[in-house]
Structures are given as C-alpha cells and as structure tokens.
Amino acid sequence: MSDTLPDRLSVNPESPFYNEELLARGIGVRFKGVEKTNVEEYCISEGWVRVAVGKTVDRRGNPLTMKLSGPVEVWLKD
C-alpha cells in the first residue's frame, strides 16, 4: 500500500470516504497546529475537520459532530 493519504477520510463505515485499511494503520490529524484525537472526518483541500462533541449521540447512535474550519495536516502513525 502506498503512503499517500486521501484528501478526505471518515471513520464512519457508512460513509463513501471510509477506508478500513488506512484507519487500521493509524492516522494522525493536526488541526491549527494541535493534534486531535476525536476527529470523525477530515478534508484537506477544503480545510475542515468534523469532531465529536462530547459523548452525545443522535437517535441512530452516531456521535454528534461539529465542523471546524482551518489548516489540516494528516500523517500515518506507523
């Protein structure tokens, strides 16, 4: 597998941007210079991350998220 990361990646298996192989390898996300561990989805070209808001969930059991805009950096942890 190549070390190039996709422009957009999601941890939700129902999303078209989900990639289990990359998530198993470990992805690091830095947003505005701070490493984030609660990122649900990111898009490098559009400059945003979607982060979980606490432990709250919607009626389908998915975490409630908030979209934040700013510079995004991603890397493989392994």
Side-chain angles (χ1 to χ4, degrees), residues 4-20:
T4 58
L5 294 171
D7 177 57
R8 190 166 175 179
L9 184 65
S10 175
V11 297
N12 184 352
E14 297 174 3
S15 171
F17 303 106
Y18 178 75
N19 186 332
E20 186 175 0

Side-chain angles (χ1 to χ4, degrees), residues 3 19 36 38 43 53 74:
D3 288 341
N19 186 332
K36 298 286 188 181
N38 62 342
C43 182
V53 180
V74 294

Side-chain angles (χ1 to χ4, degrees), residues 7 10-12 21 23 26-28 30 35-38 50-52 54 56 59 63-65 69-70 73 77:
D7 177 57
S10 175
V11 297
N12 184 352
E21 296 165 354
L23 294 172
I27 301 289
R30 184 174 291 124
E35 188 171 348
K36 298 286 188 181
T37 58
N38 62 342
R50 191 171 295 278
V51 296
T56 55
R59 62 183 176 196
L64 290 180
T65 60
S69 296
E73 302 171 44
K77 288 187 174 180

Side-chain angles (χ1 to χ4, degrees), residues 60-78:
R60 294 181 189 95
N62 298 321
L64 290 180
T65 60
M66 183 169 43
K67 187 175 179 181
L68 304 173
S69 296
V72 180
E73 302 171 44
V74 294
W75 68 91
L76 289 171
K77 288 187 174 180
D78 60 353

